Coordinates of all heavy atoms in Angstrom, one line a residue:
Chain D
R36 N -39.2 4.4 15.4 CA -38.3 5.5 15.0 C -37.8 5.2 13.6 O -37.8 6.2 12.8 CB -37.3 5.5 16.1 CG -36.0 6.4 15.7 CD -36.3 7.9 15.6 NE -35.2 8.6 15.0 CZ -35.3 9.8 14.5 NH1 -36.4 10.4 14.3 NH2 -34.2 10.4 14.0
E37 N -37.2 4.1 13.4 CA -36.7 3.7 12.1 C -37.6 3.9 11.0 O -37.6 4.4 9.8 CB -36.2 2.3 11.9 CG -34.5 2.3 12.4 CD -34.1 1.0 12.1 OE1 -34.6 0.2 11.4 OE2 -33.0 0.7 12.8
A38 N -39.0 3.3 11.2 CA -39.9 3.4 10.2 C -40.3 4.8 10.0 O -40.5 5.1 8.7 CB -41.2 2.7 10.7
E39 N -40.3 5.6 11.1 CA -40.7 7.1 10.7 C -39.5 7.7 10.0 O -39.8 8.5 9.1 CB -40.9 7.7 12.1 CG -41.3 9.1 12.0 CD -40.8 9.9 13.1 OE1 -40.7 9.4 14.3 OE2 -40.6 11.2 13.0
F40 N -38.4 7.5 10.4 CA -37.2 8.2 9.7 C -37.0 7.8 8.3 O -36.8 8.7 7.4 CB -35.8 7.9 10.6 CG -34.8 8.6 10.0 CD1 -34.6 9.9 10.4 CD2 -33.8 8.0 9.2 CE1 -33.5 10.6 9.8 CE2 -32.8 8.7 8.7 CZ -32.6 10.0 9.0
Y41 N -37.2 6.5 8.0 CA -37.0 6.1 6.7 C -38.3 6.2 5.6 O -38.1 5.8 4.5 CB -36.4 4.7 6.6 CG -35.0 4.7 7.0 CD1 -34.7 4.1 8.3 CD2 -33.9 5.3 6.4 CE1 -33.4 4.2 8.8 CE2 -32.6 5.3 7.0 CZ -32.3 4.8 8.1 OH -31.1 4.8 8.6
H42 N -39.3 6.8 6.3 CA -40.4 7.0 5.4 C -40.3 8.5 4.8 O -40.3 9.4 5.6 CB -41.6 6.8 6.1 CG -43.0 7.3 5.5 ND1 -43.3 6.6 4.3 CD2 -43.7 8.4 5.5 CE1 -44.4 7.4 3.9 NE2 -44.6 8.4 4.5
L43 N -40.0 8.5 3.6 CA -39.9 9.9 2.9 C -41.1 10.4 2.5 O -41.8 9.8 1.6 CB -38.8 9.7 1.8 CG -37.3 9.2 2.3 CD1 -36.5 9.0 1.0 CD2 -36.8 10.1 3.2
R44 N -41.4 11.6 2.8 CA -42.4 12.4 2.2 C -42.0 13.0 1.0 O -40.8 13.0 0.6 CB -43.0 13.3 3.2 CG -43.9 12.8 4.4 CD -44.4 13.8 5.4 NE -43.2 14.1 6.2 CZ -42.9 13.4 7.3 NH1 -43.5 12.3 7.6 NH2 -41.7 13.8 7.9
D45 N -43.0 13.7 0.2 CA -42.8 14.3 -1.0 C -41.7 15.2 -0.9 O -41.8 16.2 -0.1 CB -44.0 14.8 -1.6 CG -43.9 15.0 -3.2 OD1 -42.9 14.3 -3.7 OD2 -44.5 15.9 -3.6
G46 N -40.7 15.3 -1.8 CA -39.6 16.3 -1.7 C -38.5 16.0 -0.8 O -37.6 16.9 -0.7
E47 N -38.6 15.0 0.0 CA -37.5 14.7 0.9 C -36.5 13.7 0.4 O -37.0 12.8 -0.5 CB -38.2 14.3 2.3 CG -38.8 15.2 2.9 CD -39.5 14.7 4.3 OE1 -39.4 13.4 4.4 OE2 -39.9 15.5 5.1
M48 N -35.3 13.8 0.8 CA -34.4 12.8 0.4 C -33.4 12.6 1.6 O -33.2 13.4 2.4 CB -33.7 13.1 -0.8 CG -32.7 14.4 -0.9 SD -31.9 14.3 -2.4 CE -30.9 15.8 -2.2
L49 N -32.8 11.4 1.5 CA -31.8 11.1 2.6 C -30.4 11.3 2.0 O -30.1 11.1 0.8 CB -31.9 9.6 3.0 CG -33.1 9.2 3.6 CD1 -33.0 7.7 3.9 CD2 -33.2 9.8 5.0
I50 N -29.5 12.0 2.9 CA -28.1 12.2 2.4 C -27.2 11.6 3.4 O -27.5 11.8 4.5 CB -27.9 13.6 1.9 CG1 -26.7 13.8 1.1 CG2 -28.0 14.5 3.1 CD1 -26.5 15.1 0.4
N51 N -26.2 10.9 3.0 CA -25.3 10.3 3.9 C -24.0 11.2 4.1 O -23.2 11.3 3.3 CB -24.8 9.0 3.2 CG -24.8 7.8 4.1 OD1 -24.7 8.2 5.4 ND2 -24.7 6.7 3.6
L52 N -24.0 11.6 5.4 CA -22.8 12.6 5.7 C -21.8 11.6 6.5 O -21.9 11.2 7.6 CB -23.4 13.7 6.5 CG -22.6 14.9 6.6 CD1 -22.7 15.6 5.3 CD2 -23.1 15.8 7.8
G53 N -20.8 11.2 5.8 CA -19.9 10.3 6.5 C -20.1 8.9 6.2 O -21.0 8.7 5.3
P54 N -19.3 8.0 6.6 CA -18.4 8.0 7.7 C -17.0 8.9 7.0 O -16.2 9.3 7.9 CB -17.8 6.7 8.0 CG -18.4 5.9 6.9 CD -19.6 6.5 6.2
Q55 N -16.9 8.9 5.7 CA -15.7 9.8 5.2 C -16.2 11.1 4.7 O -16.9 11.0 3.6 CB -15.0 9.0 4.2 CG -13.7 9.8 3.7 CD -13.8 10.6 2.6 OE1 -14.7 10.4 1.8 NE2 -13.1 11.7 2.5
H56 N -16.1 12.1 5.5 CA -16.6 13.5 5.0 C -15.7 14.5 5.7 O -15.2 14.2 6.8 CB -18.1 13.6 5.4 CG -18.7 14.9 4.9 ND1 -18.5 16.1 5.5 CD2 -19.5 15.1 3.7 CE1 -19.1 17.0 4.7 NE2 -19.7 16.4 3.7
P57 N -15.3 15.5 5.0 CA -14.3 16.4 5.5 C -14.7 17.1 6.8 O -13.9 17.3 7.5 CB -14.2 17.5 4.5 CG -14.8 16.9 3.2 CD -15.8 15.9 3.6
S58 N -16.0 17.3 7.1 CA -16.2 17.9 8.3 C -17.0 17.1 9.3 O -17.7 17.6 10.2 CB -17.0 19.2 8.0 OG -17.9 19.0 7.1
T59 N -16.8 15.8 9.3 CA -17.5 15.1 10.5 C -16.4 14.7 11.6 O -16.8 13.9 12.4 CB -18.0 13.7 9.9 OG1 -17.3 13.1 9.2 CG2 -19.3 14.0 9.2
H60 N -15.2 15.2 11.5 CA -14.3 15.1 12.6 C -13.9 13.7 12.8 O -14.1 13.2 13.8 CB -14.7 15.8 13.7 CG -14.8 17.3 13.6 ND1 -14.4 18.2 14.5 CD2 -14.9 18.1 12.5 CE1 -14.6 19.4 14.1 NE2 -14.9 19.4 12.8
G61 N -13.6 13.0 11.8 CA -13.3 11.5 12.1 C -14.3 10.7 11.3 O -14.6 11.1 10.1
V62 N -14.9 9.6 11.9 CA -15.6 8.6 11.2 C -17.0 8.7 11.6 O -17.6 7.6 11.8 CB -15.0 7.3 11.2 CG1 -13.8 7.3 10.3 CG2 -14.5 6.9 12.6
L63 N -17.6 9.8 12.0 CA -19.0 9.9 12.3 C -19.8 9.7 11.1 O -19.5 10.3 10.1 CB -19.3 11.3 13.1 CG -20.7 11.6 13.4 CD1 -21.4 10.5 14.4 CD2 -20.9 12.9 14.0
R64 N -20.9 9.1 11.1 CA -21.8 9.2 10.0 C -23.2 9.7 10.3 O -23.7 9.2 11.6 CB -22.0 7.7 9.5 CG -23.1 7.6 8.5 CD -23.2 6.2 7.9 NE -24.3 6.0 7.2 CZ -25.0 5.0 7.2 NH1 -24.9 3.8 8.0 NH2 -26.2 4.8 6.6
V65 N -23.6 10.7 9.8 CA -24.9 11.3 10.0 C -25.8 11.0 8.7 O -25.4 11.6 7.6 CB -24.8 12.8 10.4 CG1 -26.1 13.3 10.8 CG2 -23.8 12.9 11.4
V66 N -27.0 10.3 8.9 CA -27.9 10.4 7.9 C -28.8 11.5 8.0 O -29.6 11.5 8.9 CB -28.6 9.0 7.9 CG1 -29.6 8.9 6.6 CG2 -27.7 7.8 7.9
L67 N -28.8 12.4 7.1 CA -29.7 13.6 7.1 C -30.8 13.4 6.2 O -30.8 12.8 5.1 CB -28.9 14.8 6.6 CG -27.8 15.3 7.4 CD1 -27.1 16.4 6.7 CD2 -28.2 15.8 8.8
K68 N -32.0 13.8 6.6 CA -33.2 13.8 5.9 C -33.5 15.2 5.5 O -33.7 16.1 6.4 CB -34.4 13.1 6.7 CG -35.6 12.9 5.8 CD -36.8 12.8 6.8 CE -37.5 11.5 6.6 NZ -38.6 11.4 7.6
I69 N -33.3 15.5 4.2 CA -33.3 17.0 3.9 C -34.5 17.2 3.0 O -35.0 16.3 2.1 CB -32.1 17.3 3.2 CG1 -31.7 16.4 2.0 CG2 -31.0 17.4 4.2 CD1 -30.4 17.0 1.4
D70 N -34.9 18.3 3.1 CA -36.0 19.0 2.2 C -35.3 20.2 1.4 O -35.3 21.2 1.9 CB -37.2 19.3 2.9 CG -38.4 19.7 2.0 OD1 -38.1 19.7 0.8 OD2 -39.4 20.1 2.4
G71 N -34.9 19.9 0.2 CA -34.0 20.9 -0.3 C -32.7 21.0 0.4 O -32.0 20.1 0.6
E72 N -32.4 22.3 0.9 CA -31.3 22.4 1.7 C -31.5 22.3 3.2 O -30.6 22.3 4.0 CB -30.7 23.8 1.4 CG -30.1 23.9 0.0 CD -28.5 23.9 0.2 OE1 -28.0 24.1 1.2 OE2 -27.8 23.8 -0.8
R73 N -32.8 22.2 3.5 CA -33.1 22.2 5.0 C -33.2 20.9 5.6 O -33.8 19.9 5.0 CB -34.5 23.0 5.1 CG -34.6 23.6 6.5 CD -35.8 24.6 6.3 NE -35.3 25.7 5.7 CZ -34.6 26.8 6.4 NH1 -34.3 26.6 7.6 NH2 -34.2 27.9 5.7
V74 N -32.6 20.8 6.7 CA -32.6 19.3 7.4 C -33.8 19.2 8.1 O -34.3 20.0 8.8 CB -31.3 19.4 8.4 CG1 -31.5 18.1 9.1 CG2 -30.0 19.5 7.6
V75 N -34.5 18.0 7.8 CA -35.8 17.7 8.4 C -35.5 16.9 9.6 O -36.2 17.1 10.7 CB -36.7 17.0 7.4 CG1 -38.0 16.7 8.1 CG2 -37.0 17.9 6.3
D76 N -34.7 15.9 9.5 CA -34.4 15.0 10.5 C -33.0 14.4 10.3 O -32.5 14.5 9.2 CB -35.6 13.9 10.6 CG -35.8 13.1 11.7 OD1 -34.8 13.4 12.7 OD2 -36.7 12.3 11.9

Side-chain angles (χ1 to χ4, degrees):
Chain D
R36 161 76 186 151
E37 268 188 22
E39 181 209 332
F40 183 77
Y41 290 112
H42 171 70
L43 298 179
R44 277 175 289 278
D45 195 23
E47 290 177 349
M48 69 175 176
L49 293 175
I50 191 163
N51 217 344
L52 206 72
Q55 187 263 335
H56 189 275
S58 46
T59 50
H60 293 210
V62 284
L63 173 65
R64 174 176 164 223
V65 184
V66 184
L67 294 175
K68 191 199 236 179
I69 53 175
D70 183 1
E72 287 256 348
R73 205 160 285 280
V74 177
V75 178
D76 201 351

